[in-house]
Amino acid sequence: MVVLRNMRQEEYPDYCQYFIDVYSQEIAENYGHSMEYSIELAKKELQRCFPNGLEGKEHSLLCIEAEIKGQAYLVGYLWHSINSESKSTFIYDFYVSSEYQGLGYGTQALSELEKQLQGNGIEQIKLRVAFHNERALKLYQTVGFAITGFNMSKNLTGTAST
């Protein structure tokens, strides 16, 4: 069984470190930026979305807890932001620790999120998944997400013009 609960203040610094490490790596890989610049961008994204830490109401930062052998374990994180006007939410970050992947916790967490959102009148969940993240893509498609578009980019530096 999985429970989604609000992140506690004492858990926030660990989440920030995880997010900066992982997201900066993704930025560097996907956009070709240096790690130094990618880390700066990841930190700016956290500051933009959580200017007052966990005090804001626009973004929800949840901990995914699973009951394992009668004890609650933190197995991952889910960050989303509801847009009441469009009756949708956008998942910014969804992470299940590697040692807990493949055990159904991700599927259960998304199901729990759906229940919570439906109870609040939300009709759609949106997200972005990196093209190389085949495991996540498979999970999302398995639980009913549909591909709605592609992000594309082209580097212009170092390109010779003719």
Side-chain angles (χ1 to χ4, degrees):
M1 180 178 127
V2 163
V3 173
L4 297 179
R5 64 163 175 79
N6 290 327
M7 182 173 285
R8 293 187 287 261
Q9 195 64 41
E10 65 270 14
E11 296 168 317
Y12 185 62
D14 286 342
Y15 174 79
C16 290
Q17 189 58 57
Y18 141 78
F19 179 79
I20 291 164
D21 290 347
V22 171
Y23 190 51
S24 62
Q25 188 67 39
E26 184 178 314
I27 291 169
E29 288 174 10
N30 290 339
Y31 300 104
H33 296 312
S34 69
M35 275 308 296
E36 183 177 314
Y37 184 60
S38 297
I39 290 169
E40 181 183 325
L41 291 175
K43 287 179 178 178
K44 283 182 180 178
E45 181 70 1
L46 271 179
Q47 182 59 35
R48 181 183 71 80
C49 295
F50 296 98
N52 300 311
L54 297 174
E55 300 303 313
K57 300 291 181 207
E58 189 175 321
H59 293 264
S60 296
L61 196 45
L62 307 173
C63 288
I64 305 168
E65 279 189 351
E67 187 177 315
I68 304 169
K69 297 179 182 175
Q71 193 168 355
Y73 286 89
L74 177 65
V75 300
Y77 304 110
L78 198 157
W79 164 14
H80 72 103
S81 180
I82 292 176
N83 181 326
S84 299
E85 193 174 297
S86 67
K87 296 183 180 181
S88 68
T89 195
F90 185 85
I91 295 177
Y92 282 81
D93 187 33
F94 179 51
Y95 171 76
V96 175
S97 298
S98 59
E99 65 265 33
Y100 300 111
Q101 290 178 5
L103 301 174
Y105 298 129
T107 302
Q108 291 175 50
L110 289 171
S111 178
E112 184 61 29
L113 179 65
E114 285 181 31
K115 288 178 200 166
Q116 290 179 12
L117 294 170
Q118 286 172 334
N120 290 313
I122 302 304
E123 299 173 356
Q124 185 179 39
I125 301 173
K126 301 175 184 180
L127 55 82
R128 181 195 160 277
V129 62
F131 78 94
H132 64 274
N133 194 342
E134 294 175 18
R135 179 181 213 126
L137 184 59
K138 182 180 176 190
L139 168 65
Y140 296 136
Q141 289 178 314
T142 298
V143 299
F145 282 80
I147 296 172
T148 59
F150 295 97
N151 289 328
M152 299 179 78
S153 69
K154 177 180 178 181
N155 285 334
L156 300 178
T157 56
T159 304
S161 58
T162 53

